[in-house]
Amino acid sequence: MMPEERYTKLKEYLSSENPILLDVIENYKLLDEVGHKIGLITPEDTYTSHISWWPMISILGTFSAGKSTFINQYLGKDIQESGNQAVDDKFTVICYGENEESHTLPGLALDADPRFPFYNISDEVNKVDPGEGNRVNLYLQLKTLKSDKIKGKILIDSPGFDADSQRDGILRITSHIVDMSDLVLVFFDARHPEPGAMRDTLEHLVGATINHRDANKILYVLNQIDTTAKEDNLETVIASWQRAMSQEGLISGNFYGIYNESSAVPIDDPAQKERLERKRDSDLSKITQRMDKVGIERAYRIIKALEDFSKEMKEEKIPTLQKALKSWSKKVLITDFILWILIVVGFMFAESNMGLITNIMSSQIISIVSILGLVVILSTIHIKLRDIFAKFDANRWMKKDKSIANAILYNTKWWKPLFGHNSSKWSLKHSTKLDLLMSDARTYIQKLNDQFISPAGKEAQKEEK
Ligand SMILES: Nc1nc2c(ncn2[C@@H]2O[C@H](COP(=O)(O)OP(=O)(O)OP(=O)(O)O)[C@@H](O)[C@H]2O)c(=O)[nH]1
Ligand SMILES: [Mg+2]
């Protein structure tokens, strides 16, 4: 799908939903233009496919923590299987579908559809685990559900996390999901009173989320707290769980304790039952509130991403690229120079030794022919050198930053000037556009704020901590 087609699709999708985001697409178009001009993205690529336009909630956690049960309860429908052994072995993306009947589609459907946040995920997986990406159906599936609860958002259920048996592919998808999501619920369960037993898992899950730039979108949920009724030790269990988290470096965070009414063990003591219910109702309502307003967080995220992309391009990518191109042109020039000298000297040497030929033919013809020949040889060498050094440099960048590698190849084509990118005019032209995009992003954020905060200063959407 070419960028133009994608803009149209996105506009169709967003037109009824959020008019501000409709305008934002125009800014992404401009960003794409700059990206294409510099060569940071290929002509078929667009920054709109580097983010998810859907509000996205993902549920991660240890196996049998009750992730699927929680999702079923939230949706009011048993769409996911649950059970006492490890049930889910792949990520399930649940989204709205018009069909009354729920449909299950293979992971390939997600990998190939640019409207989903897993577009081309197989490439990403292949990078960390060669070959695995081709088996994307083993990792991902898509389920549709006709329910207002899921309309306009995506919910992701995941396989139970087990640090021991995790393949690189799963880890790559997990971190992709954390990056793309507007809200991440990390589930643990209270049946493991000694969190030390799952230290590795904790370390991985918390480690993957802790340093995230928007840590506020991550909620840590201790599920199945009904199981503490038997020994009446809710506080102890929560405290030890939080201690284990803080040992992983997570000091402050959004911690919640809940359980599922219909899966819970019977609680005999009425006082305890009341206490547990109170805790659950209060925490559960905070979690579902966050889940319900995820569309708003998504709008902020998309605009923030516009600002981030522009800023990164201006402050990091362009300077890095300029440096890389400078070093490339230097290498070409020096090698050019050495080879040229050698050739010209050789040529003159030959000339002086073959004076005979020159004497026989008209000296005018010989000099025109030889100069022409020399020019052809020298420029062929020059073009070849440009190509060799460009490929060499691009290769070195490929692993670290694909966009820089792309841009090196793009800007070193033989018809591009050797020092074009060196002028301050080159970067200024792009920087001005990027500055504009950044200031637009800030204006959009204000517009969003105005949408959700009434002029009287009363917050329509109360931020809860
Ligand atoms: N006591 C109690 N049991 C629960 C609760 N929530 C879920 N369960 C039970 O725990 C088991 C696992 O639940 P699932 O929802 O399948 O857990 P999961 O996290 O999706 O598990 P995997 O997909 O295998 O990783 C099931 O037998 C549920 O009935 C709860 O709040 N309290
Ligand atoms: Mg499950």
Side-chain angles (χ1 to χ4, degrees):
M1 187 189 286
M2 292 300 280
E4 278 307 326
E5 219 177 311
R6 183 170 164 85
Y7 304 143
T8 318
K9 276 228 153 119
L10 278 176
K11 279 184 186 166
E12 255 167 46
Y13 157 68
L14 290 166
S15 58
S16 57
E17 210 214 338
N18 196 326
I20 292 184
L21 289 182
L22 218 52
D23 294 339
V24 176
I25 296 180
E26 294 300 323
N27 290 77
Y28 269 89
K29 252 184 180 173
L30 293 176
L31 181 71
D32 284 345
E33 263 171 39
V34 182
H36 291 145
K37 277 232 169 78
I38 305 179
L40 288 167
I41 51 173
T42 58
E44 307 83 50
D45 199 3
T46 148
Y47 284 102
T48 58
S49 66
H50 296 205
I51 53 167
S52 166
W53 291 77
W54 271 251
M56 188 165 146
I57 304 168
S58 53
I59 324 267
L60 305 173
T62 50
F63 62 92
S64 291
K67 303 177 292 294
S68 302
T69 309
F70 176 84
I71 286 178
N72 288 343
Q73 190 206 5
Y74 178 75
L75 295 175
K77 178 141 197 210
D78 282 349
I79 184 164
Q80 287 292 80
E81 253 178 68
S82 68
N84 236 329
Q85 286 116 24
V87 175
D88 285 292
D89 58 357
K90 46 174 90 84
F91 294 91
T92 307
V93 177
I94 306 166
C95 73
Y96 183 83
E98 278 296 342
N99 271 320
E100 289 299 334
E101 228 175 288
S102 169
H103 279 283
T104 305
L105 298 169
L108 210 58
L110 290 158
D111 186 53
D113 191 333
R115 289 171 305 169
F116 286 108
F118 292 96
Y119 184 49
N120 279 345
I121 189 79
S122 55
D123 285 353
E124 292 299 309
V125 172
N126 271 334
K127 258 189 238 161
V128 293
D129 198 352
E132 275 307 288
N134 309 337
R135 316 200 300 161
V136 65
N137 289 346
L138 292 182
Y139 288 114
L140 284 173
Q141 66 180 0
L142 172 67
K143 276 190 189 173
T144 62
L145 177 71
K146 188 170 177 164
S147 153
D148 281 342
K149 268 281 182 191
I150 189 81
K151 218 170 185 172
K153 49 168 107 73
I154 288 180
L155 211 63
I156 299 179
D157 191 8
S158 48
F161 194 94
D162 176 3
D164 291 340
S165 64
Q166 242 29 285
R167 281 171 299 185
D168 289 346
I170 294 254
L171 293 175
R172 180 70 199 88
I173 296 181
T174 305
S175 82
H176 177 77
I177 286 176
V178 173
D179 282 347
M180 298 285 253
S181 293
D182 296 290
L183 189 65
V184 182
L185 311 185
V186 184
F187 267 56
F188 300 94
D189 75 72
R191 288 174 306 168
H192 301 279
E194 171 46 81
M198 26 176 235
R199 167 97 334 128
D200 283 353
T201 303
L202 204 63
E203 192 184 313
H204 259 98
L205 272 179
V206 175
T209 50
I210 189 170
N211 289 323
H212 211 274
R213 63 191 152 95
D214 30 30
N216 192 42
K217 74 178 184 186
I218 296 158
L219 314 184
Y220 298 92
V221 182
L222 186 65
N223 194 26
Q224 310 195 15
I225 56 168
D226 57 291
T227 57
T228 63
K230 208 162 55 193
E231 293 182 32
D232 191 11
N233 59 353
L234 176 64
E235 279 72 26
T236 325
V237 170
I238 288 187
S240 103
W241 172 61
Q242 286 198 9
R243 200 163 43 243
M245 308 274 262
S246 73
Q247 272 167 16
E248 296 308 328
L250 192 74
I251 295 154
S252 63
N254 306 294
F255 300 113
Y256 301 96
I258 58 168
Y259 67 93
N260 181 279
E261 179 80 68
S262 43
S263 314
V265 293
I267 306 166
D268 301 329
D269 178 14
Q272 249 205 82
K273 190 172 161 76
E274 205 249 273
R275 205 156 52 90
L276 281 166
E277 272 173 1
R278 194 150 20 92
K279 168 81 176 156
R280 180 203 60 196
D281 291 344
S282 140
D283 283 11
L284 194 60
S285 86
K286 284 179 198 150
I287 296 171
T288 39
Q289 257 179 41
R290 286 288 297 265
M291 290 173 81
D292 291 341
K293 69 167 207 188
V294 81
I296 302 168
E297 312 210 359
R298 177 275 318 255
Y300 280 101
R301 167 173 59 78
I302 288 177
I303 295 168
K304 187 80 182 52
L306 174 72
E307 191 183 356
D308 288 348
F309 282 138
S310 313
K311 194 169 173 198
E312 188 190 37
M313 212 190 278
K314 182 187 165 190
E315 290 174 8
E316 286 167 37
K317 304 263 177 181
I318 292 183
T320 308
L321 178 65
Q322 276 184 307
K323 231 164 113 188
L325 288 175
K326 209 171 174 176
S327 125
W328 164 80
S329 49
K330 224 171 164 177
K331 276 181 279 196
V332 173
L333 208 65
I334 291 174
T335 324
D336 254 353
F337 188 69
I338 295 172
L339 287 179
W340 287 11
I341 296 244
L342 285 177
I343 287 171
V344 171
V345 168
F347 183 80
M348 277 159 52
F349 182 73
E351 254 302 279
S352 64
N353 278 300
M354 293 189 294
L356 252 180
I357 312 169
T358 320
N359 284 342
I360 297 163
M361 281 158 70
S362 135
S363 62
Q364 225 173 20
I365 292 179
I366 199 85
S367 55
I368 288 177
V369 168
S370 49
I371 284 174
L372 268 181
L374 203 60
V375 167
V376 170
I377 292 173
L378 295 187
S379 27
T380 313
I381 287 179
H382 173 72
I383 289 171
K384 199 74 209 155
L385 283 179
R386 291 174 68 115
D387 191 50
I388 290 172
F389 283 121
K391 283 199 176 121
F392 178 77
D393 287 353
N395 244 340
R396 277 197 357 216
W397 274 100
M398 208 39 126
K399 262 232 159 89
K400 221 162 71 191
D401 187 339
K402 203 171 147 191
S403 65
I404 298 284
N406 280 340
I408 290 178
L409 292 176
Y410 178 80
N411 287 287
T412 52
K413 298 253 164 67
W414 65 268
W415 62 87
K416 299 260 178 182
L418 195 57
F419 293 107
H421 46 270
N422 245 352
S423 74
S424 52
K425 234 171 84 192
W426 187 82
S427 54
L428 194 67
K429 196 175 68 191
H430 300 304
S431 296
T432 316
K433 280 189 193 158
L434 295 171
D435 280 336
L436 222 69
L437 287 176
M438 282 187 259
S439 90
D440 275 359
R442 282 186 286 271
T443 314
Y444 285 131
I445 298 238
Q446 296 228 312
K447 272 195 203 166
L448 276 185
N449 288 344
D450 292 345
Q451 223 178 46
F452 301 118
I453 301 168
S454 69
K458 230 169 67 192
E459 288 186 8
Q461 294 288 333
K462 213 161 178 276
E463 258 309 311
E464 77 274 342
K465 271 278 117 192

